[in-house]
Amino acid sequence: MPIDIVKPPKRLTLAPAKQRILDTADRLFYDEGIRAVGIDRLIAVSSVTKATFYKHYGSKDRLIVEYIAYRHLQVAEAVDAAAQQTDDPEQLLRDILALQMRWIAATGFRGCPFLNAATEFTDASHPVRRAVEEHREWFHELLESLLREIGHPLPGDAADDLMLAHDGAMLGGYASDPIAATAALQRMYDRVLAAVPERAAA
């Protein structure tokens, strides 16, 4: 039976033009930066009219929040797919590590989309920052829950460690050496898992 984890949001079927705008934003915001991409560019690349853009999203800020939610959906779906393949929480933690390593090694990787977005919006109360925070809270809750299931003595602290290692690997993997970044991330997972009493006694 698959592990019961925080389930991903339901993927909605959007109108073709709305989906096209979102897919365009997903690509351009990540590749070029959110503030660097203007509404006129989004409209042109999406092959929609200005009226269509405003009908579906109303403003660029609303589209940015939808972009963050879309990125969260993609991560949550990838984790859920891994969870459907195992009933072992430790294996799922390893599978999450494998996902992180694959993202860092992917062609076109330019860092964590959530951290990238947070750096562009300095106001912590901005809806974009709140959307990023919601994703990070979800990820922390997921890690902490899995660590608690395998009997880690300090699952909250260990989840903090894995979150920080994830952030560092995402940044280091883009700015420097992805191989070194993923190796360091794996070492942190190994250290965290080694603190589980049954493993430590083995």
Side-chain angles (χ1 to χ4, degrees), residues 23 25 39 47 51 55 59 78-79 125 130 152 166 181 187-188 190-192:
D23 288 337
I39 288 177
S47 299
K55 171 188 173 183
S59 68
V79 172
S125 66
R130 291 201 299 270
H152 196 286
H166 165 81
R187 287 195 297 273
M188 178 56 76
D190 289 340
R191 283 196 288 270
V192 164

Side-chain angles (χ1 to χ4, degrees), residues 163-181:
M163 286 287 294
L164 187 59
H166 165 81
D167 292 347
M170 286 284 179
L171 290 169
Y174 171 59
S176 185
D177 182 354
I179 295 175

Side-chain angles (χ1 to χ4, degrees), residues 7 97 107 111 122 126 160 166:
K7 304 297 285 184
L97 167 63
T107 301
T122 58
H126 192 283
D160 288 342
H166 165 81

